[in-house]
Amino acid sequence: VPGMGPAERRAARGAPAPGVGADLSGGSASGTLALLAAGLPGAPGALTGRGERLLAVTFTDHTTQGGRAHRDAELERARALADNPRLHHRVVTGGEEALPFAGLGTLPLTDEPGPSLVTAFRHRSRLLAGGADHFTGHGARQVLDAHPARLADLLLDRRRRHLLRPVTALARADGPSAHSVLVPFTVYRAARKLARTPYGTGVAETARRLVERRGGGAGDPGAVDASLAALFWCRPGPAARWLTGEALAEVAVRLGAAATRAPGAGRPGERRARAALARRAADHRVFEQAAEVRSQRLHAPFLDNQVVLACRALPDTLRVQPGARAAVLRSVLAGAGVRDLPPGWGATAHLPHTAALRTGLRAAVDGLVQLFDAPLLADAGLVEARVVRKALRAAAEGAALPLDGLAELVSTELWLRRLVLRRGSCWTDAATSPRRRAVAAGVPPRARL
């Protein structure tokens, strides 16, 4: 088109803006990365010294009714942080097309399934507004925050007095109630039980809970319930309540074999935190492939090896304290010369994410129910289609069900269907490939690493 410059032609092709970009919100992780990237030596916001400002992108959702006050406060904090000559602030608004479970038919086939598949299209609009090198704060919660099982590590180190502040904060997290006084004693008793439970015994107990169909997650649990559910060596995932008895029995057998074969070294808090970080890193890899933008390099500095090793050096007594992540990042910014932070910076809340999941599920429930009319997961013997369809309808109507578990089922079924569509067209032959049930024939054991 005559008159179009290089920037206009690049934008018409769907490529991101040149230069460095970063997510900017009222949270602590993404805001820290944006301020640190904007304060690099040389020209403002430019790694090459060409004078470009850092492109800070804030995503705000106007279709989710829950947590509106928190969303407005977060947007105001982001605007206060962006009041900087080194930052160029962009606010991306999302409508119904940016809700979770939207755009599932346009996603590419990733290497493996992951929960981020149901929200990849939602984040793609934010990444399209970013720079050619874009920084995200993914993984900061798993790297910096202390897993609730670390309370048991403190008891193993005989540091009982350091449990006072975290258990008191848990008692106040869900608001005043008749049971708030008993919360510290309940959490302390669960942490002491975990500290005294050997690894093999804890894994065997989880296997028994799977067979008996106990656990498997609850809908929108509070801070106390989530912390109590995490005070185990391992626990059923949020999608376990919809698996068939055959699948749960197979998993229970493997857990029992692992409990007797590998006694397991280390403390429960370290093992649970390492497992949570590994799951988050694997899901981020799926997210990179699903929400990939042409000519854009996505960076997650909190998942870098050196950052993870540096955060592991933080003492447990500091990490278990309330607001530890915001305090650590405030120290990092203070060392870089950034001290004027807006009030309320570092506040955390899961309510907007849960509300967005429920709103997106309510909008896409018809398509999701149709997806499970004849699911491949049911052909493999892992779920019953009727049970999953009933759960999807109930969750759309507001029932207290674990939405993360439904997201995992939807993403896995979607990934399997995309994989079957590709069979015979690229790396395998559909005519000669044997059809196997995932559970009835069993899964061959892997070689131990």
Side-chain angles (χ1 to χ4, degrees):
V1 178
M4 289 183 63
E8 288 80 2
R9 291 195 297 270
R10 191 181 299 108
R13 291 195 302 266
V20 183
D23 293 341
L24 179 64
S25 65
S28 55
S30 58
T32 299
L33 292 179
L35 292 176
L36 290 178
L40 291 172
L47 291 174
T48 58
R50 297 180 182 176
E52 300 96 343
R53 294 185 297 173
L54 178 76
L55 184 59
V57 183
T58 300
F59 179 82
T60 179
D61 192 352
H62 287 286
T63 59
T64 305
Q65 299 298 329
R68 182 173 182 178
H70 172 81
R71 184 174 63 249
D72 294 342
E74 186 178 16
L75 183 59
E76 290 301 325
R77 286 192 293 267
R79 287 173 176 169
L81 290 174
D83 190 13
N84 188 327
R86 291 177 174 266
L87 292 175
H88 176 65
H89 193 207
R90 285 184 180 177
V91 178
V92 178
T93 59
E96 293 184 357
E97 73 284 352
L99 285 172
F101 302 101
L104 297 181
T106 61
L107 294 177
L109 177 63
T110 57
D111 291 343
E112 57 186 7
S116 61
L117 284 178
V118 301
T119 57
F121 191 80
R122 173 183 178 86
H123 295 291
R124 184 175 171 82
S125 59
R126 170 175 52 85
L127 297 179
L128 284 171
D133 286 277
H134 199 76
F135 292 92
T136 65
H138 292 178
R141 188 182 306 276
Q142 288 75 20
V143 172
L144 286 173
D145 286 6
H147 195 275
R150 289 191 181 272
L151 298 177
D153 295 352
L154 294 181
L155 291 178
L156 291 174
D157 294 338
R158 300 183 181 276
R159 297 181 176 180
R160 296 181 179 86
R161 62 185 181 88
H162 295 283
L163 271 68
L164 180 60
R165 290 185 60 189
V167 297
T168 304
L170 280 176
R172 300 173 180 173
D174 294 337
S177 63
H179 303 285
S180 299
V181 180
L182 302 177
V183 167
F185 302 99
T186 306
V187 175
Y188 177 81
R189 185 167 55 251
R192 185 179 61 178
K193 180 181 178 181
L194 177 59
R196 295 180 177 181
T197 303
Y199 173 77
T201 305
V203 174
E205 175 62 25
T206 303
R208 287 192 296 270
R209 295 178 64 194
L210 279 176
V211 175
E212 298 172 1
R213 287 187 174 273
R214 290 188 291 123
D220 304 339
V224 177
D225 295 336
S227 299
L228 292 175
L231 288 172
F232 291 93
W233 279 100
C234 61
R235 58 185 294 264
R241 64 185 301 164
W242 294 295
L243 297 184
T244 60
E246 186 181 12
L248 293 178
E250 181 75 15
V251 176
V253 169
R254 295 186 176 275
L255 282 176
T260 57
R261 182 179 65 246
R267 301 184 298 179
E270 293 178 355
R271 293 180 65 93
R272 290 299 306 272
R274 193 183 304 117
L277 178 59
R279 286 194 300 270
R280 186 67 180 90
D283 190 52
H284 177 72
R285 183 170 62 249
V286 175
F287 170 80
E288 283 183 327
Q289 299 172 2
E292 182 181 7
V293 176
R294 180 183 176 184
S295 303
Q296 184 181 66
R297 293 172 294 273
L298 193 62
H299 307 278
F302 285 103
L303 296 177
D304 185 81
N305 290 337
Q306 295 184 1
V307 177
V308 172
L309 292 176
C311 293
R312 282 184 180 178
L314 295 174
D316 292 346
T317 55
L318 169 65
R319 300 176 67 175
V320 299
Q321 303 304 322
R325 187 198 339 162
V328 171
L329 294 179
R330 279 180 183 272
S331 302
V332 172
L333 290 176
V338 180
R339 295 179 176 84
D340 297 331
L341 298 175
W345 183 85
T348 58
H350 299 280
L351 182 60
H353 172 71
T354 305
L357 275 179
R358 191 170 296 278
T359 305
L361 179 61
R362 189 180 300 113
V365 62
D366 295 334
L368 297 179
V369 170
Q370 185 179 3
L371 180 68
F372 282 90
D373 282 340
L376 297 176
L377 290 175
D379 294 341
L382 298 177
V383 299
E384 293 184 8
R386 175 184 56 82
V387 174
V388 178
R389 291 196 300 266
K390 181 179 178 181
L392 288 172
R393 295 192 183 97
E397 294 174 0
L401 294 174
L403 301 180
D404 292 338
L406 292 175
E408 290 184 2
L409 291 179
V410 170
S411 61
T412 305
E413 175 65 24
L414 178 68
W415 184 84
L416 288 175
R417 294 201 173 206
R418 301 303 297 271
L419 181 64
V420 169
L421 289 177
R422 294 288 295 272
R423 293 181 67 181
S425 62
C426 47
W427 62 83
T428 185
D429 186 5
T432 59
S433 298
R435 300 186 64 182
R436 298 177 180 177
R437 287 176 61 88
V439 177
V443 181
R446 300 180 182 177
R448 295 183 61 187
L449 300 179

